[in-house]
């Protein structure tokens, strides 16, 4: 019986060490727009008596497990993501998730999203001819990155990128050269604005209406900002 008890105790110790706390998803750098809610990931497994704590990189405490010890703008969601509501530029900086003896820092970048995103042809989209499709992000700080999709598939062409403006706020442009065919009628192009940790900050869609020449008759623009959308038909 004594030997058997020793085996059981030994197995319990091994099992306990195997169940040590770990990061399922460690914190990573992310971006949020001014006024939005930022989410910093920290998902742990194997937690027993250890505490999971969030703090700023200057050691200002924010949360202990699910208890908020800082501003009420901070909340713990799930196990144990940190959300910050009503983000301002003062929230930019490093955030540390301590899980038992584990620690990981993520950096929150705060951006002022563009006031508008527009998508338009610089010349009529005529089959067989090269036309430039321009995506403009107006009054952004900093300038976003652009990604292009055709019918929800990443479009492989290399666009031209440039900005205009001063004092931190710029108009950013991505110009995509497209050679269309008759098969492209009703295809959908999407211009997607991206920041670090924020892959679909804003976007605009355009449905191809092929022209035989002359001015473009209509274009349909769909703008999405953090899940809200607005559809506008331009004449």
């Amino acid at each position: 019986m004594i030997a058997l008890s020793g085996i059981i105790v030994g197995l319990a110790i091994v099992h306990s060490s195997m169940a040590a706390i770990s990061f399922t998803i460690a914190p990573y750098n992310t971006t949020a727009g001014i006024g939005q809610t930022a989410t910093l990931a920290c998902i742990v497994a194997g937690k027993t008596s250890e505490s999971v704590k969030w703090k700023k990189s200057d050691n200002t405490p924010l949360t202990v497990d699910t208890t908020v010890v800082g501003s009420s703008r901070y909340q713990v969601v799930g196990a144990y993501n940190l959300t910050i509501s009503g983000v301002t530029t003062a929230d930019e900086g490093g955030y540390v998730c301590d899980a038992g003896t584990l620690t990981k820092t993520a950096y929150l970048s705060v951006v002022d999203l563009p006031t508008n995103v527009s998508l338009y042809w610089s010349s009529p989209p005529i089959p067989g001819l090269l036309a430039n499709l321009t995506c403009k992000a107006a009054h952004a700080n900093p300038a976003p990155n652009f990604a292009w999709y055709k019918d929800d598939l990443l479009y492989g062409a290399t666009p031209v990128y440039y900005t205009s403006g001063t004092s931190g706020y710029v108009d950013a442009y991505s110009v995509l050269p497209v050679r269309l065919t008759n098969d492209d009628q009703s295809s959908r192009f999407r211009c997607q604005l991206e920041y670090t940790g924020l892959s679909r900050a804003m976007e605009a869609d355009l449905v191809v209406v092929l022209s035989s020449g002359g001015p473009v008759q209509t274009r349909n623009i769909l703008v999405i900002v953090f899940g809200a959308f607005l559809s506008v038909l331009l004449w």
Side-chain angles (χ1 to χ4, degrees):
M1 289 297 294
I2 295 175
L4 181 60
S5 298
I7 292 172
I8 293 173
V9 170
L11 289 174
I13 292 173
V14 170
H15 176 75
S16 176
S17 64
M18 292 176 62
I21 193 168
S22 62
F23 288 123
T24 302
I25 299 180
Y28 54 86
N29 297 343
T30 191
T31 300
I34 291 174
Q36 302 296 323
T37 296
T39 299
L40 293 158
C42 184
I43 298 179
V44 303
K47 181 180 181 302
T48 54
S49 59
E50 308 95 330
S51 293
V52 177
K53 302 176 182 179
W54 277 99
K55 63 185 178 183
K56 299 196 74 170
S57 56
D58 63 1
N59 289 321
T60 301
L62 304 176
T63 67
V64 177
D65 291 331
T66 59
T67 301
V68 177
V69 296
S71 167
S72 60
R73 295 192 301 116
Y74 301 108
Q75 296 293 327
V76 176
V77 177
Y80 290 80
N81 301 319
L82 178 71
T83 65
I84 309 170
S85 61
V87 166
T88 70
T89 54
D91 294 312
E92 187 166 271
Y95 292 80
V96 183
C97 181
D98 291 329
T101 59
L102 304 177
T103 185
K104 182 70 175 180
T105 300
Y107 192 87
L108 173 65
S109 298
V110 178
V111 301
D112 201 352
L113 292 170
T115 56
N116 180 57
V117 181
S118 55
L119 187 57
Y120 54 89
W121 296 105
S122 59
S123 58
I126 300 173
L129 299 182
L130 193 66
N132 287 331
L133 186 55
T134 299
C135 185
K136 176 185 177 182
H139 200 65
N141 185 11
N145 296 313
F146 291 81
W148 286 92
Y149 293 82
K150 180 183 177 184
D151 295 329
D152 293 324
L153 297 176
L154 188 64
Y155 198 66
T158 303
V160 175
Y161 177 83
Y162 66 97
T163 61
S164 64
T166 56
S167 302
Y169 285 87
V170 299
D171 293 339
Y173 299 83
S174 181
V175 182
L176 182 72
V178 181
R179 191 177 298 278
L180 298 167
T181 69
N182 288 319
D183 293 337
D184 289 315
Q185 178 75 359
S186 300
S187 295
R188 182 182 295 274
F189 282 89
R190 183 171 83 246
C191 165
Q192 187 169 295
L193 307 190
E194 300 183 340
Y195 297 89
T196 300
L198 186 60
S199 61
R200 296 185 75 168
M202 298 177 72
E203 62 188 49
D205 284 19
L206 181 148
V207 176
V208 174
V209 179
L210 294 174
S211 173
S212 58
V216 182
Q217 297 300 310
T218 64
R219 67 179 185 270
N220 187 50
I221 295 177
L222 176 66
V223 179
I224 300 179
V225 184
F226 290 105
F229 68 88
L230 171 67
S231 182
V232 183
L233 184 63
L234 301 179
W235 299 87

